[in-house]
Amino acid sequence: MPDPSVTAGLLLAAGAGRRYGLPKALVELDGEPLVRRGVRLLGDGGCAPVHVVLGAGADEMPALPGAVSVRHDRWSDGLGSSLRRGLASLPAHVPAVVVVLVDQPLLSPVAVHRVRAAYADGAVVAVATYAGRPGHPVLLGRETWPLLDYYALGDRGARDLLRDRPDLVVEVPCDDVGSPLDVDTPADLLRLRTLIDG
């Protein structure tokens, strides 16, 4: 019987950040690279182990205490391949994983705790929602991982799985804790700083 308190964390941080001009994992917010911020998010949310999928700029990444770096040489195949690479890297005893993206730095550890709690209550897939729309973090029970060989292709991760198998999905409202806004350009980062500064 899987232990519902055991959930790994998976940070997808392999992209080149073409619109930004450098890999978004290396972009800094308040002096901290987004990749380290993502590791901290998952750790503070109670995930262990935490794996980070790295691709573009992997050789320039800072040290990531508390995380396992997973190099993905085929990162240019898209988000789906990074997700599948990350899942394949996790130890066999891990029954579930919480997935987040490196370019969403305002996600909250509270949201991570909430999707983990939904798993402990029996959810197979738990997805944070904001204004009723699915976002991250997303928790995936191990029994769903083989399905992603079909769904996680190109730049698609688990989104189509969530759409096609609503019977598996528990939605977890997280409007009151953080924001799913992402950083695609330097202008986006300025907007996030404005939100943080109030």
Side-chain angles (χ1 to χ4, degrees):
M1 185 73 179
D3 181 350
S5 68
V6 177
T7 48
L10 182 59
L11 176 64
L12 302 183
R18 289 183 183 88
R19 290 174 59 194
Y20 199 96
L22 75 158
K24 287 183 277 186
L26 296 171
V27 172
E28 292 192 0
L29 178 60
D30 295 334
E32 182 180 34
L34 295 189
V35 65
R36 278 195 182 154
R37 194 176 180 102
V39 168
R40 184 163 49 82
L41 164 73
L42 290 166
D44 290 352
C47 296
V50 173
H51 284 206
V52 183
V53 180
L54 300 174
D59 293 334
E60 289 78 50
M61 290 296 155
L64 299 174
V68 174
S69 295
V70 179
R71 190 160 188 138
H72 183 37
D73 292 333
R74 297 184 61 183
W75 60 267
S76 60
D77 288 350
L79 177 70
S81 71
S82 292
L83 174 57
R84 286 183 280 112
R85 174 74 178 93
L87 293 175
S89 76
L90 293 169
H93 71 271
V94 168
V97 63
V98 176
V99 181
V100 296
L101 307 178
V102 77
D103 65 354
Q104 296 183 326
L106 299 187
L107 295 181
S108 166
V110 177
V112 176
H113 279 292
R114 286 183 184 176
V115 296
R116 292 181 60 240
Y119 175 68
D121 287 341
V124 176
V125 176
V127 56
T129 63
Y130 303 86
R133 297 172 60 88
H136 287 85
V138 174
L139 180 140
L140 300 167
R142 182 177 279 274
E143 56 265 53
T144 69
W145 299 1
L147 299 175
L148 292 165
D149 288 339
Y150 171 77
Y151 284 104
L153 301 172
D155 280 323
R156 293 181 178 276
R159 180 178 57 193
D160 291 345
L161 171 64
L162 305 183
R163 182 198 64 210
D164 288 355
R165 294 298 305 272
D167 55 304
L168 298 178
V169 179
V170 171
E171 295 187 347
V172 181
C174 291
D175 305 76
D176 60 323
V177 289
S179 166
L181 293 176
D182 57 10
V183 174
D184 285 328
T185 67
D188 293 336
L189 188 66
L190 288 174
R191 276 194 291 275
L192 290 189
R193 284 206 172 99
T194 300
L195 286 175
I196 292 169
D197 295 341

